[in-house]
Amino acid sequence: MKRGKLDEIVNATAPAPGWWLVALTGLLAAAVALASLSVLVTGQRRLLTRLNVLGTFVHEGGHALVNVLTGGGVYQVAIFTPDSGMTWIWFRSRFSSIASSAAGYATPPLAGLGAAVQLHRGHAAAVLTLTVVAAAVLLFLSADLLTFAVIAGIGAVAFAALAWAPAWLQTTIAYLEAWLLLTSELSGLGHLVAARLHGSVAAGDDAASLAEDTHIPGVAWIAGWLALIIWALSEAFPLLWP
């Protein structure tokens, strides 16, 4: 694709969506979050929970990105289920370790807020383009075939929307992506809390790793991530609502 054409796609301005589209995509994201949280009670995964894989994709990407930015490196990234994954990284410093661990649960709501800013400006195509770029980078770090297929699938949906979808469909997908990112980690934090209530904290648990590195209790980190999600939602809502 020629650079001029790429610039035209990325900088395209879509018309403001109707309130019904914003409400529909927001309600769908809320339903995904509730279905994911209900697993803690019922133990049953519903079809809707599969959409939570977008949050896991960005969560693991956040670990990788922040670690590279703080001087570390990344070996591999794996996505096991729609709401679980792992990033194998090496650290250059203790700060790198702390920042990378904290980034996982922080990245999806911040990415969702960033998407909301772009959508407020009418740049749905820019949101989809960034998704394609992120997927292309993480493809090279895939630990297994399942992870490769999931990441390729996310990138393919965004690319197909950019290349062939009408403006209204691009906008719908971008708004759904923003809402999903803003709410996806609510279920993740729920699982962290449940693990502590049942005394079954898993190895590699981000809150536990941070507690070990900083001597700040894991519950404090969980509370901080929750506060960040609530803040991001409060900032994003007026930007997304027409």
Side-chain angles (χ1 to χ4, degrees), residues 119-219:
L119 290 171
H120 182 68
R121 298 170 178 169
H123 296 164
V127 174
L128 297 174
T129 301
L130 288 171
T131 305
V132 172
V133 171
V137 172
L138 287 183
L139 271 180
F140 292 99
L141 300 171
S142 300
D144 51 44
L145 186 59
L146 174 61
T147 303
F148 186 91
V150 169
I151 294 174
I154 292 171
V157 169
F159 180 81
L162 275 172
W164 300 295
W168 69 266
L169 185 54
Q170 289 184 7
T171 300
T172 300
I173 294 172
Y175 267 81
L176 178 59
E177 181 175 349
W179 285 120
L180 285 171
L181 290 174
L182 286 164
T183 57
S184 64
E185 294 295 23
L186 289 171
S187 61
L189 296 184
H191 281 83
L192 290 182
V193 171
R196 279 151 182 76
L197 292 175
H198 293 102
S200 57
V201 178
D205 179 315
D206 289 346
S209 297
L210 285 164
E212 183 178 351
D213 283 344
T214 65
H215 305 295
I216 297 172
V219 292

